[in-house]
Amino acid sequence: MIDLKKEKINDDWYEFTLSNHFMSISFLNFGGIITKILVPDKYGTKENIVLCYQDYTHYETNPLYLGAIIGRVAGRIKNATIQIQNTEYKLDQNESCHHLHGGKKGFHNVLWDFNTFQEEDGIGVTFTYTSPDGESGYPGNVNVKVTYRLTINNEFLIDYEATTDKETVLTLTNHSYFNLSGDLKNTVSDHEVTIDSSRILKLDKDLIPFDIVEDVSETEFDFRRGKLLQEGFVSHNEQNQLVGCGYDHYFLFDQQTANQVIVANNDSGRIMKIKTNQPGMVMYTANGMQEGIRLNEVKSKKYLGVCFETQAPSASLWLNDLPSITLLPNETYKKQTIFSFDMVEKKK
């Protein structure tokens, strides 16, 4: 059985909840923000596995970008400048002299139009928004469609689609912080993560990628056989320390496994798999998380969640040999990320 509920939060905001026999997902039409994902542990207890503000008014500013759709360009753009067809465009400077996550008028604080739907094997909501030419400094009128869908097979699908009337740049993602311990009982230090990646982007002191590490073998960035996140937290690797003792790096997928990412927490028994047609992702372990913000269960602190921001790299704007984020008027941006959920150990 699958079900969709809609609750009015205020004059403009609605919270939708998609549920099946196993799990449920809740999200807002404001920012497309995912507020809750309830998944059972190995004893059958359903708990929230994403970070959520206790007071929903905090989503208006959302300093942590909790659960939101990120765009037009997810990630950092060096010096808040892009060049298209010999024309230079100045973007919002919202992180020192750089541009982060679409700027002040990013998709994380947009009120999206919506339509609900039900299919034979799932149920969902489609969000739409037209980003006008010049918004946050980007060229082109861009029509964006993002669909959230829950299936009877415990898959949560996010489909991204966009078109433009002028050459522009675009790469979208979702910025949910996951914590499989459930209801934020622990940090993510004991989460075991497997990533189909042998290459990462190296960061400078401003966290701007400046080079490609072609082989991560025998480093804290080699997750191909699985690794606990805490190994990066205590690492003396300069790249781990640079970002606040953890991870905030882009991983290029090798595209050699069915799931690009597998996350497991043995204490709760929860397991999450991520499959995508994106070329890579930023894994961020909340090393720089602002502390003391009241979340639904506890106050925010370092390492309380981990983001898996599947996307093409913004660094392709200044580094060669990376997947492009250019979108042309005769093209359709079409990307998908699938999160599937299970238990390491089934309830007996």
Side-chain angles (χ1 to χ4, degrees), residues 30 60-62 65 71-72 91-96 98-110 129 135-138:
F30 180 77
E60 293 176 1
T61 54
N62 201 359
Y65 296 95
R72 292 186 187 189
L91 310 180
D92 283 348
Q93 294 181 345
N94 61 323
E95 189 182 66
S96 182
H98 307 297
H99 178 85
L100 176 65
H101 290 336
K104 300 168 187 174
K105 183 62 174 175
F107 293 170
H108 62 285
N109 57 18
V110 162
Y129 173 67
E135 185 170 62
S136 292
Y138 291 99

PDB file of all heavy atoms in Angstrom, residues 30 60-62 65 71-72 91-96 98-110 129 135-138:
ATOM      1  N   PHE A  30       8.514  24.441  -0.376  1.00  0.00           N
ATOM      2  CA  PHE A  30       9.527  25.483  -0.255  1.00  0.00           C
ATOM      3  C   PHE A  30      10.904  24.824  -0.321  1.00  0.00           C
ATOM      4  O   PHE A  30      11.277  24.008   0.535  1.00  0.00           O
ATOM      5  CB  PHE A  30       9.385  26.248   1.064  1.00  0.00           C
ATOM      6  CG  PHE A  30      10.404  27.343   1.238  1.00  0.00           C
ATOM      7  CD1 PHE A  30      10.263  28.551   0.571  1.00  0.00           C
ATOM      8  CD2 PHE A  30      11.514  27.149   2.040  1.00  0.00           C
ATOM      9  CE1 PHE A  30      11.206  29.555   0.711  1.00  0.00           C
ATOM     10  CE2 PHE A  30      12.461  28.157   2.190  1.00  0.00           C
ATOM     11  CZ  PHE A  30      12.304  29.366   1.520  1.00  0.00           C
ATOM     12  N   GLU A  60      13.550  29.193   6.208  1.00  0.00           N
ATOM     13  CA  GLU A  60      13.512  30.420   5.408  1.00  0.00           C
ATOM     14  C   GLU A  60      14.924  30.913   5.103  1.00  0.00           C
ATOM     15  O   GLU A  60      15.184  31.441   4.021  1.00  0.00           O
ATOM     16  CB  GLU A  60      12.710  31.496   6.140  1.00  0.00           C
ATOM     17  CG  GLU A  60      11.229  31.169   6.266  1.00  0.00           C
ATOM     18  CD  GLU A  60      10.475  32.210   7.077  1.00  0.00           C
ATOM     19  OE1 GLU A  60      11.118  33.198   7.523  1.00  0.00           O
ATOM     20  OE2 GLU A  60       9.259  32.049   7.273  1.00  0.00           O
ATOM     21  N   THR A  61      15.845  30.741   6.043  1.00  0.00           N
ATOM     22  CA  THR A  61      17.248  31.109   5.819  1.00  0.00           C
ATOM     23  C   THR A  61      18.107  29.871   5.574  1.00  0.00           C
ATOM     24  O   THR A  61      19.052  29.916   4.793  1.00  0.00           O
ATOM     25  CB  THR A  61      17.805  31.885   7.018  1.00  0.00           C
ATOM     26  OG1 THR A  61      17.585  31.119   8.220  1.00  0.00           O
ATOM     27  CG2 THR A  61      17.101  33.223   7.153  1.00  0.00           C
ATOM     28  N   ASN A  62      17.788  28.787   6.247  1.00  0.00           N
ATOM     29  CA  ASN A  62      18.415  27.474   6.058  1.00  0.00           C
ATOM     30  C   ASN A  62      19.936  27.564   5.930  1.00  0.00           C
ATOM     31  O   ASN A  62      20.517  27.218   4.891  1.00  0.00           O
ATOM     32  CB  ASN A  62      17.824  26.790   4.822  1.00  0.00           C
ATOM     33  CG  ASN A  62      18.013  25.270   4.843  1.00  0.00           C
ATOM     34  OD1 ASN A  62      18.607  24.719   5.763  1.00  0.00           O
ATOM     35  ND2 ASN A  62      17.528  24.602   3.821  1.00  0.00           N
ATOM     36  N   TYR A  65      21.538  24.451   4.629  1.00  0.00           N
ATOM     37  CA  TYR A  65      20.983  23.908   3.371  1.00  0.00           C
ATOM     38  C   TYR A  65      20.324  22.542   3.608  1.00  0.00           C
ATOM     39  O   TYR A  65      20.338  21.677   2.730  1.00  0.00           O
ATOM     40  CB  TYR A  65      22.075  23.772   2.300  1.00  0.00           C
ATOM     41  CG  TYR A  65      22.684  25.075   1.857  1.00  0.00           C
ATOM     42  CD1 TYR A  65      23.852  25.544   2.441  1.00  0.00           C
ATOM     43  CD2 TYR A  65      22.112  25.834   0.851  1.00  0.00           C
ATOM     44  CE1 TYR A  65      24.432  26.746   2.041  1.00  0.00           C
ATOM     45  CE2 TYR A  65      22.678  27.044   0.425  1.00  0.00           C
ATOM     46  CZ  TYR A  65      23.838  27.490   1.029  1.00  0.00           C
ATOM     47  OH  TYR A  65      24.403  28.668   0.621  1.00  0.00           O
ATOM     48  N   GLY A  71      20.684  24.608  -6.666  1.00  0.00           N
ATOM     49  CA  GLY A  71      20.884  25.047  -8.037  1.00  0.00           C
ATOM     50  C   GLY A  71      20.884  26.573  -8.094  1.00  0.00           C
ATOM     51  O   GLY A  71      20.593  27.230  -7.097  1.00  0.00           O
ATOM     52  N   ARG A  72      21.233  27.236  -9.215  1.00  0.00           N
ATOM     53  CA  ARG A  72      21.445  26.544 -10.464  1.00  0.00           C
ATOM     54  C   ARG A  72      22.670  25.639 -10.474  1.00  0.00           C
ATOM     55  O   ARG A  72      22.675  24.611 -11.172  1.00  0.00           O
ATOM     56  CB  ARG A  72      21.560  27.545 -11.619  1.00  0.00           C
ATOM     57  CG  ARG A  72      20.299  28.303 -11.960  1.00  0.00           C
ATOM     58  CD  ARG A  72      20.551  29.127 -13.193  1.00  0.00           C
ATOM     59  NE  ARG A  72      19.418  30.016 -13.497  1.00  0.00           N
ATOM     60  CZ  ARG A  72      19.356  30.698 -14.622  1.00  0.00           C
ATOM     61  NH1 ARG A  72      20.300  30.582 -15.530  1.00  0.00           N
ATOM     62  NH2 ARG A  72      18.336  31.502 -14.836  1.00  0.00           N
ATOM     63  N   LEU A  91      28.457  36.395 -10.728  1.00  0.00           N
ATOM     64  CA  LEU A  91      27.422  35.764  -9.913  1.00  0.00           C
ATOM     65  C   LEU A  91      27.452  36.328  -8.492  1.00  0.00           C
ATOM     66  O   LEU A  91      28.370  37.054  -8.112  1.00  0.00           O
ATOM     67  CB  LEU A  91      27.656  34.249  -9.873  1.00  0.00           C
ATOM     68  CG  LEU A  91      27.866  33.544 -11.221  1.00  0.00           C
ATOM     69  CD1 LEU A  91      28.087  32.051 -10.995  1.00  0.00           C
ATOM     70  CD2 LEU A  91      26.683  33.779 -12.148  1.00  0.00           C
ATOM     71  N   ASP A  92      26.427  35.973  -7.716  1.00  0.00           N
ATOM     72  CA  ASP A  92      26.399  36.365  -6.302  1.00  0.00           C
ATOM     73  C   ASP A  92      27.657  35.870  -5.596  1.00  0.00           C
ATOM     74  O   ASP A  92      28.051  34.708  -5.749  1.00  0.00           O
ATOM     75  CB  ASP A  92      25.188  35.736  -5.601  1.00  0.00           C
ATOM     76  CG  ASP A  92      23.893  36.439  -5.925  1.00  0.00           C
ATOM     77  OD1 ASP A  92      23.937  37.537  -6.504  1.00  0.00           O
ATOM     78  OD2 ASP A  92      22.829  35.877  -5.600  1.00  0.00           O
ATOM     79  N   GLN A  93      28.255  36.740  -4.799  1.00  0.00           N
ATOM     80  CA  GLN A  93      29.342  36.329  -3.923  1.00  0.00           C
ATOM     81  C   GLN A  93      28.744  36.072  -2.542  1.00  0.00           C
ATOM     82  O   GLN A  93      28.447  37.009  -1.794  1.00  0.00           O
ATOM     83  CB  GLN A  93      30.420  37.415  -3.846  1.00  0.00           C
ATOM     84  CG  GLN A  93      31.161  37.652  -5.138  1.00  0.00           C
ATOM     85  CD  GLN A  93      32.245  38.715  -5.006  1.00  0.00           C
ATOM     86  OE1 GLN A  93      32.272  39.476  -4.042  1.00  0.00           O
ATOM     87  NE2 GLN A  93      33.143  38.766  -5.975  1.00  0.00           N
ATOM     88  N   ASN A  94      28.521  34.806  -2.223  1.00  0.00           N
ATOM     89  CA  ASN A  94      27.882  34.498  -0.945  1.00  0.00           C
ATOM     90  C   ASN A  94      28.732  33.582  -0.066  1.00  0.00           C
ATOM     91  O   ASN A  94      28.280  33.084   0.954  1.00  0.00           O
ATOM     92  CB  ASN A  94      26.496  33.883  -1.154  1.00  0.00           C
ATOM     93  CG  ASN A  94      26.525  32.576  -1.912  1.00  0.00           C
ATOM     94  OD1 ASN A  94      27.319  32.386  -2.835  1.00  0.00           O
ATOM     95  ND2 ASN A  94      25.644  31.662  -1.536  1.00  0.00           N
ATOM     96  N   GLU A  95      29.999  33.363  -0.464  1.00  0.00           N
ATOM     97  CA  GLU A  95      30.964  32.705   0.411  1.00  0.00           C
ATOM     98  C   GLU A  95      32.323  33.341   0.138  1.00  0.00           C
ATOM     99  O   GLU A  95      33.019  32.955  -0.792  1.00  0.00           O
ATOM    100  CB  GLU A  95      31.018  31.194   0.183  1.00  0.00           C
ATOM    101  CG  GLU A  95      31.855  30.505   1.257  1.00  0.00           C
ATOM    102  CD  GLU A  95      31.978  29.013   1.068  1.00  0.00           C
ATOM    103  OE1 GLU A  95      32.599  28.606   0.066  1.00  0.00           O
ATOM    104  OE2 GLU A  95      31.469  28.272   1.915  1.00  0.00           O
ATOM    105  N   SER A  96      32.657  34.359   0.933  1.00  0.00           N
ATOM    106  CA  SER A  96      33.830  35.190   0.674  1.00  0.00           C
ATOM    107  C   SER A  96      33.700  35.765  -0.743  1.00  0.00           C
ATOM    108  O   SER A  96      32.656  36.324  -1.077  1.00  0.00           O
ATOM    109  CB  SER A  96      35.105  34.359   0.856  1.00  0.00           C
ATOM    110  OG  SER A  96      36.262  35.157   0.663  1.00  0.00           O
ATOM    111  N   HIS A  98      33.606  33.975  -3.408  1.00  0.00           N
ATOM    112  CA  HIS A  98      33.151  32.883  -4.266  1.00  0.00           C
ATOM    113  C   HIS A  98      31.626  32.758  -4.258  1.00  0.00           C
ATOM    114  O   HIS A  98      30.934  33.431  -3.481  1.00  0.00           O
ATOM    115  CB  HIS A  98      33.803  31.571  -3.831  1.00  0.00           C
ATOM    116  CG  HIS A  98      35.295  31.648  -3.732  1.00  0.00           C
ATOM    117  ND1 HIS A  98      36.104  31.915  -4.821  1.00  0.00           N
ATOM    118  CD2 HIS A  98      36.135  31.521  -2.658  1.00  0.00           C
ATOM    119  CE1 HIS A  98      37.367  31.924  -4.443  1.00  0.00           C
ATOM    120  NE2 HIS A  98      37.411  31.704  -3.132  1.00  0.00           N
ATOM    121  N   HIS A  99      31.134  31.894  -5.109  1.00  0.00           N
ATOM    122  CA  HIS A  99      29.695  31.652  -5.259  1.00  0.00           C
ATOM    123  C   HIS A  99      29.397  30.233  -4.786  1.00  0.00           C
ATOM    124  O   HIS A  99      30.079  29.288  -5.179  1.00  0.00           O
ATOM    125  CB  HIS A  99      29.319  31.817  -6.735  1.00  0.00           C
ATOM    126  CG  HIS A  99      27.883  31.546  -7.059  1.00  0.00           C
ATOM    127  ND1 HIS A  99      26.890  32.497  -6.936  1.00  0.00           N
ATOM    128  CD2 HIS A  99      27.269  30.423  -7.535  1.00  0.00           C
ATOM    129  CE1 HIS A  99      25.737  31.977  -7.321  1.00  0.00           C
ATOM    130  NE2 HIS A  99      25.937  30.726  -7.684  1.00  0.00           N
ATOM    131  N   LEU A 100      28.389  30.073  -3.937  1.00  0.00           N
ATOM    132  CA  LEU A 100      28.075  28.759  -3.375  1.00  0.00           C
ATOM    133  C   LEU A 100      26.601  28.425  -3.563  1.00  0.00           C
ATOM    134  O   LEU A 100      25.711  29.234  -3.262  1.00  0.00           O
ATOM    135  CB  LEU A 100      28.416  28.738  -1.876  1.00  0.00           C
ATOM    136  CG  LEU A 100      28.066  27.462  -1.107  1.00  0.00           C
ATOM    137  CD1 LEU A 100      28.900  26.280  -1.604  1.00  0.00           C
ATOM    138  CD2 LEU A 100      28.260  27.660   0.390  1.00  0.00           C
ATOM    139  N   HIS A 101      26.335  27.210  -4.076  1.00  0.00           N
ATOM    140  CA  HIS A 101      24.990  26.622  -4.113  1.00  0.00           C
ATOM    141  C   HIS A 101      23.917  27.535  -4.711  1.00  0.00           C
ATOM    142  O   HIS A 101      22.808  27.655  -4.186  1.00  0.00           O
ATOM    143  CB  HIS A 101      24.570  26.194  -2.713  1.00  0.00           C
ATOM    144  CG  HIS A 101      25.329  25.014  -2.176  1.00  0.00           C
ATOM    145  ND1 HIS A 101      25.955  24.086  -2.989  1.00  0.00           N
ATOM    146  CD2 HIS A 101      25.557  24.602  -0.899  1.00  0.00           C
ATOM    147  CE1 HIS A 101      26.523  23.156  -2.235  1.00  0.00           C
ATOM    148  NE2 HIS A 101      26.311  23.443  -0.963  1.00  0.00           N
ATOM    149  N   GLY A 102      24.263  28.205  -5.826  1.00  0.00           N
ATOM    150  CA  GLY A 102      23.265  28.993  -6.540  1.00  0.00           C
ATOM    151  C   GLY A 102      23.086  30.410  -6.058  1.00  0.00           C
ATOM    152  O   GLY A 102      22.275  31.150  -6.614  1.00  0.00           O
ATOM    153  N   GLY A 103      23.789  30.794  -4.995  1.00  0.00           N
ATOM    154  CA  GLY A 103      23.724  32.173  -4.541  1.00  0.00           C
ATOM    155  C   GLY A 103      22.569  32.467  -3.598  1.00  0.00           C
ATOM    156  O   GLY A 103      21.896  31.576  -3.086  1.00  0.00           O
ATOM    157  N   LYS A 104      22.332  33.761  -3.389  1.00  0.00           N
ATOM    158  CA  LYS A 104      21.309  34.190  -2.432  1.00  0.00           C
ATOM    159  C   LYS A 104      19.910  33.773  -2.869  1.00  0.00           C
ATOM    160  O   LYS A 104      19.033  33.528  -2.052  1.00  0.00           O
ATOM    161  CB  LYS A 104      21.374  35.713  -2.258  1.00  0.00           C
ATOM    162  CG  LYS A 104      22.718  36.219  -1.751  1.00  0.00           C
ATOM    163  CD  LYS A 104      22.844  37.725  -1.872  1.00  0.00           C
ATOM    164  CE  LYS A 104      24.253  38.197  -1.524  1.00  0.00           C
ATOM    165  NZ  LYS A 104      24.435  39.641  -1.775  1.00  0.00           N
ATOM    166  N   LYS A 105      19.689  33.738  -4.173  1.00  0.00           N
ATOM    167  CA  LYS A 105      18.396  33.321  -4.709  1.00  0.00           C
ATOM    168  C   LYS A 105      18.548  31.945  -5.343  1.00  0.00           C
ATOM    169  O   LYS A 105      18.200  31.700  -6.488  1.00  0.00           O
ATOM    170  CB  LYS A 105      17.911  34.352  -5.742  1.00  0.00           C
ATOM    171  CG  LYS A 105      16.526  34.080  -6.328  1.00  0.00           C
ATOM    172  CD  LYS A 105      15.417  34.103  -5.299  1.00  0.00           C
ATOM    173  CE  LYS A 105      14.059  33.976  -6.001  1.00  0.00           C
ATOM    174  NZ  LYS A 105      12.944  33.876  -5.070  1.00  0.00           N
ATOM    175  N   GLY A 106      19.102  31.024  -4.562  1.00  0.00           N
ATOM    176  CA  GLY A 106      19.250  29.657  -5.042  1.00  0.00           C
ATOM    177  C   GLY A 106      17.937  28.901  -4.962  1.00  0.00           C
ATOM    178  O   GLY A 106      16.953  29.357  -4.367  1.00  0.00           O
ATOM    179  N   PHE A 107      17.915  27.716  -5.539  1.00  0.00           N
ATOM    180  CA  PHE A 107      16.686  26.919  -5.568  1.00  0.00           C
ATOM    181  C   PHE A 107      16.274  26.427  -4.180  1.00  0.00           C
ATOM    182  O   PHE A 107      15.145  25.985  -3.992  1.00  0.00           O
ATOM    183  CB  PHE A 107      16.868  25.721  -6.499  1.00  0.00           C
ATOM    184  CG  PHE A 107      17.014  26.092  -7.961  1.00  0.00           C
ATOM    185  CD1 PHE A 107      17.393  25.143  -8.895  1.00  0.00           C
ATOM    186  CD2 PHE A 107      16.773  27.390  -8.400  1.00  0.00           C
ATOM    187  CE1 PHE A 107      17.522  25.478 -10.241  1.00  0.00           C
ATOM    188  CE2 PHE A 107      16.902  27.746  -9.731  1.00  0.00           C
ATOM    189  CZ  PHE A 107      17.279  26.782 -10.656  1.00  0.00           C
ATOM    190  N   HIS A 108      17.187  26.503  -3.210  1.00  0.00           N
ATOM    191  CA  HIS A 108      16.882  26.068  -1.843  1.00  0.00           C
ATOM    192  C   HIS A 108      15.882  26.987  -1.148  1.00  0.00           C
ATOM    193  O   HIS A 108      15.278  26.588  -0.145  1.00  0.00           O
ATOM    194  CB  HIS A 108      18.167  25.987  -1.011  1.00  0.00           C
ATOM    195  CG  HIS A 108      18.864  27.297  -0.852  1.00  0.00           C
ATOM    196  ND1 HIS A 108      19.599  27.890  -1.861  1.00  0.00           N
ATOM    197  CD2 HIS A 108      18.935  28.152   0.206  1.00  0.00           C
ATOM    198  CE1 HIS A 108      20.101  29.031  -1.441  1.00  0.00           C
ATOM    199  NE2 HIS A 108      19.711  29.223  -0.191  1.00  0.00           N
ATOM    200  N   ASN A 109      15.714  28.230  -1.643  1.00  0.00           N
ATOM    201  CA  ASN A 109      14.731  29.121  -1.008  1.00  0.00           C
ATOM    202  C   ASN A 109      13.678  29.596  -1.991  1.00  0.00           C
ATOM    203  O   ASN A 109      13.136  30.695  -1.856  1.00  0.00           O
ATOM    204  CB  ASN A 109      15.419  30.296  -0.303  1.00  0.00           C
ATOM    205  CG  ASN A 109      16.296  31.113  -1.238  1.00  0.00           C
ATOM    206  OD1 ASN A 109      16.159  31.023  -2.460  1.00  0.00           O
ATOM    207  ND2 ASN A 109      17.176  31.916  -0.670  1.00  0.00           N
ATOM    208  N   VAL A 110      13.361  28.745  -2.968  1.00  0.00           N
ATOM    209  CA  VAL A 110      12.317  29.022  -3.953  1.00  0.00           C
ATOM    210  C   VAL A 110      11.018  28.320  -3.539  1.00  0.00           C
ATOM    211  O   VAL A 110      11.042  27.200  -3.029  1.00  0.00           O
ATOM    212  CB  VAL A 110      12.764  28.518  -5.352  1.00  0.00           C
ATOM    213  CG1 VAL A 110      11.584  28.369  -6.296  1.00  0.00           C
ATOM    214  CG2 VAL A 110      13.796  29.461  -5.935  1.00  0.00           C
ATOM    215  N   TYR A 129       9.662  25.138 -11.526  1.00  0.00           N
ATOM    216  CA  TYR A 129      10.063  26.531 -11.264  1.00  0.00           C
ATOM    217  C   TYR A 129      10.759  27.071 -12.503  1.00  0.00           C
ATOM    218  O   TYR A 129      11.521  26.352 -13.160  1.00  0.00           O
ATOM    219  CB  TYR A 129      11.014  26.605 -10.064  1.00  0.00           C
ATOM    220  CG  TYR A 129      11.594  27.981  -9.827  1.00  0.00           C
ATOM    221  CD1 TYR A 129      10.790  29.042  -9.427  1.00  0.00           C
ATOM    222  CD2 TYR A 129      12.958  28.219 -10.024  1.00  0.00           C
ATOM    223  CE1 TYR A 129      11.327  30.309  -9.224  1.00  0.00           C
ATOM    224  CE2 TYR A 129      13.498  29.481  -9.814  1.00  0.00           C
ATOM    225  CZ  TYR A 129      12.673  30.519  -9.414  1.00  0.00           C
ATOM    226  OH  TYR A 129      13.208  31.769  -9.222  1.00  0.00           O
ATOM    227  N   GLU A 135      18.946  35.696 -12.887  1.00  0.00           N
ATOM    228  CA  GLU A 135      18.786  35.350 -11.471  1.00  0.00           C
ATOM    229  C   GLU A 135      20.121  34.876 -10.890  1.00  0.00           C
ATOM    230  O   GLU A 135      20.767  33.981 -11.437  1.00  0.00           O
ATOM    231  CB  GLU A 135      17.722  34.263 -11.309  1.00  0.00           C
ATOM    232  CG  GLU A 135      17.411  33.949  -9.849  1.00  0.00           C
ATOM    233  CD  GLU A 135      16.192  33.064  -9.703  1.00  0.00           C
ATOM    234  OE1 GLU A 135      16.233  31.918 -10.204  1.00  0.00           O
ATOM    235  OE2 GLU A 135      15.186  33.519  -9.127  1.00  0.00           O
ATOM    236  N   SER A 136      20.532  35.509  -9.810  1.00  0.00           N
ATOM    237  CA  SER A 136      21.827  35.263  -9.165  1.00  0.00           C
ATOM    238  C   SER A 136      23.006  35.504 -10.103  1.00  0.00           C
ATOM    239  O   SER A 136      24.133  35.120  -9.798  1.00  0.00           O
ATOM    240  CB  SER A 136      21.891  33.833  -8.594  1.00  0.00           C
ATOM    241  OG  SER A 136      20.998  33.694  -7.518  1.00  0.00           O
ATOM    242  N   GLY A 137      22.734  36.126 -11.258  1.00  0.00           N
ATOM    243  CA  GLY A 137      23.785  36.441 -12.222  1.00  0.00           C
ATOM    244  C   GLY A 137      23.886  35.489 -13.398  1.00  0.00           C
ATOM    245  O   GLY A 137      24.623  35.747 -14.353  1.00  0.00           O
ATOM    246  N   TYR A 138      23.125  34.393 -13.365  1.00  0.00           N
ATOM    247  CA  TYR A 138      23.209  33.384 -14.425  1.00  0.00           C
ATOM    248  C   TYR A 138      22.438  33.815 -15.674  1.00  0.00           C
ATOM    249  O   TYR A 138      21.359  34.420 -15.579  1.00  0.00           O
ATOM    250  CB  TYR A 138      22.603  32.058 -13.952  1.00  0.00           C
ATOM    251  CG  TYR A 138      23.374  31.340 -12.886  1.00  0.00           C
ATOM    252  CD1 TYR A 138      22.996  31.434 -11.540  1.00  0.00           C
ATOM    253  CD2 TYR A 138      24.453  30.523 -13.207  1.00  0.00           C
ATOM    254  CE1 TYR A 138      23.678  30.745 -10.560  1.00  0.00           C
ATOM    255  CE2 TYR A 138      25.142  29.826 -12.222  1.00  0.00           C
ATOM    256  CZ  TYR A 138      24.755  29.937 -10.907  1.00  0.00           C
ATOM    257  OH  TYR A 138      25.426  29.257  -9.926  1.00  0.00           O
TER     258      TYR A 138
END
